[in-house]
Amino acid sequence: MRRRAEQLRQEAARRRSVRNFSPRPVPIEVLRSCIGVAAQAPSGANKQPWTFVLITNPELKRAIRAAAEVEERAFYQERAPHTWLRDLEPIGTTWEKPFLEEAPALIAVFAQLHGATPRDRHYYVSESVGLASGFLILALHQAGLASLTYTPSPMRFLTQLLGRPRGERPYLLLPVGYPSEDAKVPVLHRKELSEVLVEFPP
Ligand SMILES: Cc1cc2nc3c(=O)[nH]c(=O)nc-3n(C[C@H](O)[C@H](O)[C@H](O)COP(=O)(O)O)c2cc1C
């Protein structure tokens, strides 16, 4: 038990968000298995309020990039508060999102606000879809794939491009693949366990 817990901690510590992808294709069945892991997440009243859209065709990836960059340009050039841009500086992101085309696969995660009809309520939708997304990100990493948690704002364009119903909201978009040869990640600090863990008794 101790060994398995520590192994997973070490594996999780090696996960980084990647923004530069190799065009090398990924096995589609691996992606399906990882989405299958995400679908095992706990959810409010077991409503499983999530839809995963797996995209590998280049035309659709190109269209998603184009639509995302329209929003991103407006965000970086007009909408983003000064403090937000300052926090993004060390990460080095800009309005350009080539990874949306370069990554061999994109997984769009949608939150189902309700079931088949609005009377079929879903509970704790955001929490549940966040948990499923966490399962997905770790599953991809442990399968040997890199991903980026990408949240263009607003991302309504995904609803239209991917033909999702009105009762679903785009939640996040994950480019997935292998890092490119020259991929770089910013140097980041993770909080120590002692900074995030409070124990009783101390
Ligand atoms: C909810 C959420 C939204 C994020 N949105 C973006 C994004 O839009 N663009 C981006 O480049 N990174 C995004 N990130 C990635 C974070 O910048 C990244 O996780 C953080 O800097 C820590 O780096 P790491 O994932 O390599 O540990 C997002 C992460 C989370 C959890």
Side-chain angles (χ1 to χ4, degrees):
M1 186 193 287
R2 288 182 185 85
R3 187 170 40 83
R4 281 163 57 98
E6 179 53 20
Q7 271 172 357
L8 186 58
R9 189 199 64 78
Q10 288 180 10
E11 197 55 51
R14 279 193 289 272
R15 183 210 56 78
R16 293 301 311 275
S17 292
V18 164
R19 296 176 181 84
N20 310 93
F21 289 90
S22 146
R24 181 179 160 200
V26 295
I28 193 102
E29 65 278 12
V30 171
L31 298 174
R32 291 191 189 118
S33 293
C34 292
I35 293 169
V37 172
Q40 306 311 311
S43 62
N46 191 33
K47 293 289 183 172
Q48 303 163 63
W50 40 63
T51 305
F52 303 92
V53 182
L54 177 55
I55 304 138
T56 50
N57 57 326
E59 300 75 28
L60 195 47
K61 286 193 294 172
R62 193 171 311 127
I64 289 172
R65 175 183 177 182
E69 286 184 340
V70 169
E71 300 297 350
E72 293 286 358
R73 200 194 275 264
F75 175 79
Y76 278 86
Q77 295 179 353
E78 295 153 36
R79 282 202 301 263
H82 191 65
T83 44
W84 195 334
L85 290 179
R86 194 195 54 208
D87 284 341
L88 287 175
E89 243 167 54
I91 302 173
T93 52
T94 71
W95 66 266
E96 288 181 284
K97 304 296 171 190
F99 52 71
L100 293 174
E101 264 187 279
E102 288 165 2
L106 303 176
I107 301 173
V109 182
F110 284 81
Q112 300 172 358
L113 305 184
H114 52 70
T117 70
R119 291 166 71 92
D120 176 5
R121 289 191 56 196
H122 284 173
Y123 310 96
Y124 294 106
V125 170
S126 189
E127 292 84 348
S128 304
V129 183
L131 287 165
S133 300
F135 274 41
L136 176 59
I137 292 163
L138 194 57
L140 292 165
H141 171 72
Q142 117 50 72
L145 292 168
S147 70
L148 171 66
T149 311
Y150 177 52
T151 48
S153 169
M155 52 179 149
R156 283 187 293 273
F157 64 87
L158 287 172
T159 302
Q160 192 234 327
L161 282 174
L162 300 175
R164 299 313 305 160
R166 285 165 58 91
E168 290 188 9
R169 289 279 179 277
Y171 188 82
L172 52 84
L173 183 58
L174 286 179
V176 180
Y178 303 95
S180 64
E181 292 275 320
D182 60 351
K184 289 194 174 69
V185 291
V187 177
L188 294 178
H189 161 77
R190 293 258 199 260
K191 292 180 183 174
E192 296 296 327
L193 195 56
S194 59
E195 294 176 83
V196 297
L197 171 65
V198 179
E199 292 189 55
F200 290 100

